[in-house]
Amino acid sequence: MDWPASLHLIGSKGLGGAERWFQRFAAALAERHAPATLGIRASSALAGLDLGPLPVRSLPFRSTWDPISRLAVTRLLRATDAPIVQTYMGRATRLTHTRGRAVHIARLGGYYRLGPYRHADAWIGNTRGLCDWMITNGLPAARVHHIYNFVEPALPRPAARITALRTRLGIAAEEQVLVCLGRLVPVKGHQVLLDALARLPVEIAGRRWRVVLVGDGPLRGALERQASGSGIAGRIVWAGWQDDPGQFLQLADLVVFPSLDAETLGNVILEAWAWERPLVTANFRGAREIAHHGEDAWCVPCEDAPALAQGIRTLLADPALCADLVRNGHERVRARFGADPIMEQYRTLYRDLLAG
């Protein structure tokens, strides 16, 4: 069966994990010639990204109760007449009411308040733990569906480009590079990371190290003050939001992911595996579901700066261990978290929901 027509709606203003997923998912739909339309917030950060060849419609998405925004969504539902409507995040979901004209699927990527999502016909959670939580909180089990995120295969950049990036960031050729990707918000655990870095010696295994923080957000000022007060400001590169995080993964000698337990999945784990980079991760609930300590990642307790510092030291000093983690992680991501198996799950779900 070919893909049924679908409409995908997201109303967020800024950029984060959900928006990066939306972009990846749109590209995957287009690659499979799925008839799909995208509805995004006008003048949002997402509107400035490449969303591929699928038709894109701009909607107000000004507030969850705005009648003009709701009318715009209703008109787009009628214009596309898609039998599948998939919404992302609370704003788009609250403004979407298909009233039986289409199957409304709400996709959740976090432990959000469920009130704005209950009127949907079905729900997708990107971890088993999230799906279990939705069911425990009253959503019917038969209509809650678990589908992991997929990660794109690594597309290495030319070596000259990575060398130029290193030079632009002011990182010497002999320095080891730690990379941390994520918005500068509390759940990402950057405060714990800076505490851990302050505990490290200047050199590990005879080499100096630097840390590149890829992301931006409201905590940047506080984190800069913490780094300065800890005496490690000179070891940190604040790279800000990047449309192409892959080049930073290619630059990395080690990926560090210090999220707190509230982190749902953690796409960075999948990205580190795809780019064949050793990974130190906090053992938050998403990591506990997909990562295996000492096999494909080095997992440490959440909010434990001494353990995180020791994990960084362990991997930077043990190339053989890093090679084992990289090999096993890469095999896992190819087998379980590639676009083909995940997109087939979406296609099967759409077919099954339309069949009743």
Side-chain angles (χ1 to χ4, degrees), residues 168-225:
R168 187 167 73 250
L169 297 175
I171 300 173
E174 68 275 8
E175 290 181 312
Q176 300 188 87
V177 180
L178 286 65
V179 171
C180 177
L181 296 94
R183 293 190 65 221
L184 305 184
V185 294
V187 73
K188 298 299 181 181
H190 292 93
Q191 302 98 319
V192 181
L193 174 60
L194 296 186
D195 189 357
L197 296 176
R199 299 167 185 269
L200 294 176
V202 174
E203 293 187 357
I204 299 174
R207 296 177 62 190
R208 296 173 67 88
W209 54 266
R210 298 286 297 282
V211 175
V212 181
L213 300 182
V214 181
D216 212 338
L219 288 185
R220 176 157 180 171
L223 293 170
E224 288 178 336
R225 290 190 292 272

Side-chain angles (χ1 to χ4, degrees), residues 118-152:
R118 291 186 183 274
H119 64 282
D121 300 307
W123 301 268
I124 294 173
N126 63 358
T127 68
R128 293 190 184 92
L130 179 56
C131 290
D132 291 342
W133 176 82
M134 285 192 275
I135 294 167
T136 299
N137 283 274
L139 296 185
R143 292 191 281 147
V144 174
H145 306 275
H146 167 233
I147 305 179
Y148 280 123
N149 292 357
F150 68 81
V151 64
E152 296 174 333

Side-chain angles (χ1 to χ4, degrees), residues 8-10 17-19 21-22 24-25 85-90 93 104-110 112 117 120 122-127 130 134 145 147-150 265 267 342 346 350:
H8 299 264
L9 302 173
I10 187 168
E19 291 72 33
W21 163 255
F22 186 87
R24 282 202 306 276
F25 190 69
V85 178
Q86 188 161 305
T87 58
Y88 306 73
M89 312 291 286
T93 302
H104 178 189
I105 306 169
R107 183 188 179 277
L108 283 75
Y112 312 132
Y117 298 87
W123 301 268
I124 294 173
N126 63 358
T127 68
L130 179 56
M134 285 192 275
H145 306 275
I147 305 179
Y148 280 123
N149 292 357
F150 68 81
L265 173 59
N267 287 321
I342 298 301
Y346 272 93
Y350 292 173

Side-chain angles (χ1 to χ4, degrees), residues 90-113:
R91 180 168 300 196
T93 302
R94 291 187 71 160
L95 289 168
T96 300
H97 293 266
T98 60
R99 306 189 191 285
R101 293 191 299 268
V103 176
H104 178 189
I105 306 169
R107 183 188 179 277
L108 283 75
Y111 291 77
Y112 312 132
R113 187 169 61 87

Side-chain angles (χ1 to χ4, degrees), residues 15 18 22 45 55-56 59-60 72 83 99 107 123 169 218 277 337 344:
L15 290 174
F22 186 87
V56 179
L59 299 166
R99 306 189 191 285
R107 183 188 179 277
W123 301 268
L169 297 175
R277 292 298 181 263
F337 301 102
E344 181 58 27

